[in-house]
Amino acid sequence: MTDSFLEAQRAETLAKAWEKAEWPHEAPVLRAIAMPSDTNPEGDIFGGWLLSQMDLAAASIAFHRAAGRCATIAVDSMTFISPVLVGDEVSLFAKIVHTGRTSLKVQVEAWRRRRDAEQAHKVTEGVFTFVAIGEDRKPRPLPVF
């Protein structure tokens, strides 16, 4: 068998695993590979790195809904379920769970998958609150759709 044949077989296997996975089926908002430079002194991926990735994913959703600039004002209900390891592929899924007059809440789930594995594991989740802000850096109403 040629290398290209084996690569194609592996890609097909991973695609099938994605379809059967017990994780969200929508496309992730953000995907990153955990690198050695992202570790804490114990050698696990630093929680702050994961939190920043989650904030980036939530901000992307918030910016889109707010039709412009917004700022993170709170992180609620952060729960770390299991560690992320160096080399893991981290997929971040986000959705709006509440909107107010000037603010919105975005729920984010982070899932990890070893790059050579098919099964994914949820590692953390949290709710991020944003406020839409204008050019004067003061709260502004969210657009009505």
Side-chain angles (χ1 to χ4, degrees):
M1 289 187 213
T2 66
D3 285 342
S4 60
F5 176 76
L6 292 174
E7 287 175 25
Q9 242 183 350
R10 173 145 174 74
E12 184 178 335
T13 300
L14 289 174
K16 286 179 182 173
W18 176 270
E19 291 172 9
K20 293 190 294 187
E22 293 180 12
W23 59 352
H25 286 285
E26 65 269 8
V29 174
L30 184 71
R31 185 173 283 150
I33 302 295
M35 302 298 287
S37 61
D38 303 319
T39 60
N40 62 24
E42 287 74 36
D44 295 322
I45 295 303
F46 180 55
W49 176 84
L50 188 54
L51 179 65
S52 70
Q53 299 301 309
M54 293 173 73
D55 190 35
L56 287 170
S60 179
I61 297 294
F63 183 91
H64 181 71
R65 172 59 183 88
R69 189 173 185 165
C70 48
T72 308
I73 62 164
V75 179
D76 304 318
S77 310
M78 195 70 188
T79 306
F80 289 98
I81 300 165
S82 65
V84 174
L85 308 175
V86 172
D88 283 353
E89 177 185 88
V90 178
S91 297
L92 297 140
F93 301 89
K95 65 181 176 184
I96 295 171
V97 293
H98 176 77
T99 57
R101 191 178 77 75
T102 63
S103 66
L104 61 141
K105 292 182 180 247
V106 180
Q107 179 185 10
V108 181
E109 291 184 359
W111 292 71
R112 76 171 182 91
R113 182 181 66 82
R114 297 297 306 165
R115 289 185 299 158
D116 60 349
E118 296 175 8
Q119 188 164 5
H121 304 276
K122 185 175 175 182
V123 294
T124 188
E125 63 184 355
V127 177
F128 293 71
T129 304
F130 293 85
V131 169
I133 55 176
E135 289 183 22
D136 59 359
R137 296 183 184 250
K138 293 186 180 180
R140 64 174 170 82
L142 293 172
V144 178
F145 293 112

